[in-house]
Amino acid sequence: MAEEELRAKLRAATEAFSSERVRWLLGRSKYIAEVGKLKPEEVKALITDVLREEMERGHILSELKANGPLTVPELSERTGLPKRRIMWHLICMMKDGRVAIWGKKGDYYAFSATKG
């Protein structure tokens, strides 16, 4: 793994694990399992899905902080994530106030990180 790729993954992990959503889920996972009557493998799957999503969002945020503002195609190229998934994450992060529309770059809207 190239050094810059490793650095990008570490920045993404830092962003992901500082997420309020991840901290809440990890702190409440036992309660969620009991109240939701979830099997251990269901809890594990839930946590794995949330961590994957937050790692992807962390990767997007770290790219925006380091190289932004960026468009969906630029983010897709830099992260390797499909454009549709990038857009879904951007919408969620806009709702959370972590990302905002910066303006336009050519035919595309560009996004920037708002916190941190």
Side-chain angles (χ1 to χ4, degrees):
M1 181 180 299
E3 185 176 335
E4 186 52 38
E5 186 180 349
L6 180 59
R7 288 181 194 272
K9 287 185 185 246
L10 288 173
R11 285 192 308 265
T14 300
E15 289 288 344
F17 290 107
S18 65
S19 160
E20 185 177 326
R21 181 179 178 214
V22 169
R23 289 192 315 268
W24 181 88
L25 179 63
L26 293 176
R28 302 289 291 177
S29 59
K30 184 177 179 183
Y31 177 77
I32 292 168
E34 290 170 358
V35 170
K37 297 184 174 128
L38 298 175
K39 298 175 185 169
E41 60 271 11
E42 292 173 317
V43 174
K44 182 179 178 183
L46 174 66
I47 291 172
T48 300
D49 288 347
V50 170
L51 290 176
R52 180 181 44 81
E53 288 174 0
E54 287 302 322
M55 283 293 292
E56 290 173 353
R57 289 178 189 175
H59 198 173
I60 292 166
L61 278 172
S62 68
E63 287 296 331
L64 289 174
K65 288 177 181 179
N67 305 299
L70 297 169
T71 64
V72 170
E74 290 171 330
L75 284 165
S76 180
E77 184 177 316
R78 290 174 178 273
T79 64
L81 295 168
K83 293 174 189 168
R84 184 176 181 161
R85 188 134 180 103
I86 294 281
M87 196 66 226
W88 178 75
H89 284 308
L90 289 170
I91 290 168
C92 292
M93 289 189 293
M94 285 174 60
K95 184 178 176 187
D96 292 345
R98 295 191 276 173
V99 169
I101 296 174
W102 172 82
K104 287 190 91 172
K105 285 170 108 178
D107 292 336
Y108 297 97
Y109 284 102
F111 298 85
S112 61
T114 58
K115 294 183 181 179

